[in-house]
Amino acid sequence: YVDLNPVRAAIASDPETSPHTSAFDRIQASQGKRIDSAAFDLKPVPTEEAARKIRETPVEELREQQRAKKRNPTGKRIRRDAWLAPLTLSADKLSSDAEVNRDGLRASNKGFLHVSIRDYLRLLRWTAKQGVDGIAAKVPESLAGTLSEIGIDASMWRDLVWQWQKYFGKSICVGSPESMRQDAQRCGKHHHQGQASASACFT
């Protein structure tokens, strides 16, 4: 839903032309694109060392270093998607398992979907083409299998994405009925509004 926001807003025609989405960054990274890193090394610099560098470095060189820092503060370039958590959740990991990133580039090394990035992007590209009212192409068999594996009714997929508010517009929680039920219990509630509507979308 979120990765298709620019397509739904008619400012892009497909994920490849939808900047400011994680899907765009993942696609660009697969093509070898890199960006300046905003993550500094987690290494403290002693005050004495910093003072010595200032004393012993020529003024013009210090100015050039400052100009370079403004262009790229960390001096490092990383894959376009290196700041994003991986998309695919490992089969041997529980959704509650922590998996901290030790390089300081992102918060977590843990994925969040039981689907490969290849299948996810195929599904995203196909769904982007289904936004015209009245045109309801059948979900290709291979993509229907991907949806079935994660518990989503393939016949409801297009409607779920393009008519999202019909199912979740009045709810404060989005997901399968079971996940909505669990979140309601966590919040001390009996249920979340919209659970019945959501049940139509999931197998």
Side-chain angles (χ1 to χ4, degrees):
Y1 179 86
V2 175
D3 278 335
L4 289 176
N5 270 341
V7 177
R8 261 194 311 279
I11 59 177
S13 59
D14 51 53
E16 280 79 3
T17 56
S18 300
H20 314 303
T21 65
S22 59
F24 180 84
D25 280 358
R26 295 184 198 280
I27 292 169
Q28 291 275 298
S30 71
Q31 298 169 356
K33 301 294 173 55
R34 301 177 77 81
I35 57 174
D36 293 339
S37 173
F40 287 89
D41 291 330
L42 303 178
K43 175 186 173 185
V45 179
T47 304
E48 290 182 7
E49 183 181 331
R52 179 179 56 76
K53 182 178 179 181
I54 292 174
R55 286 195 308 270
E56 298 177 1
T57 306
V59 174
E60 189 53 42
E61 186 176 336
L62 285 173
R63 286 176 178 165
E64 177 53 36
Q65 289 175 2
Q66 288 296 323
R67 286 192 287 268
K69 278 190 175 182
K70 287 181 180 179
R71 293 192 295 269
N72 181 1
T74 66
K76 296 183 295 185
R77 288 182 65 77
I78 57 174
R79 275 177 55 108
R80 175 102 194 191
D81 65 346
W83 67 279
L84 291 164
L87 181 130
T88 306
L89 180 66
S90 299
D92 60 345
K93 295 284 182 182
L94 297 175
S95 59
S96 58
D97 288 344
E99 204 170 340
V100 178
N101 177 263
R102 301 296 181 186
D103 297 326
L105 296 177
R106 57 195 181 208
S108 174
N109 280 340
K110 186 176 67 176
F112 51 91
L113 289 178
H114 289 289
V115 62
S116 70
I117 181 66
R118 175 176 170 273
D119 287 345
Y120 175 74
L121 291 177
R122 284 178 61 231
L123 181 60
L124 199 65
R125 288 172 178 128
W126 181 85
T127 307
K129 298 176 182 177
Q130 311 307 312
V132 181
D133 287 339
I135 299 178
K138 184 179 179 181
V139 179
E141 193 172 322
S142 59
L143 295 181
T146 298
L147 290 171
S148 178
E149 287 174 7
I150 54 179
I152 296 176
D153 186 344
S155 65
M156 290 293 301
W157 174 251
R158 175 184 178 274
D159 201 36
L160 174 62
V161 174
W162 289 97
Q163 306 295 333
W164 178 84
Q165 286 190 322
K166 183 168 79 174
Y167 300 98
F168 297 108
K170 296 181 180 179
S171 177
I172 62 168
C173 180
V174 175
S176 67
E178 179 57 31
S179 63
M180 292 177 75
R181 204 162 21 248
Q182 290 175 0
D183 188 72
Q185 292 174 356
R186 182 184 62 81
C187 297
K189 297 182 178 180
H190 195 266
H191 70 282
H192 278 315
Q193 187 173 355
Q195 281 181 206
S197 298
S199 65
C201 309
F202 295 84
T203 55

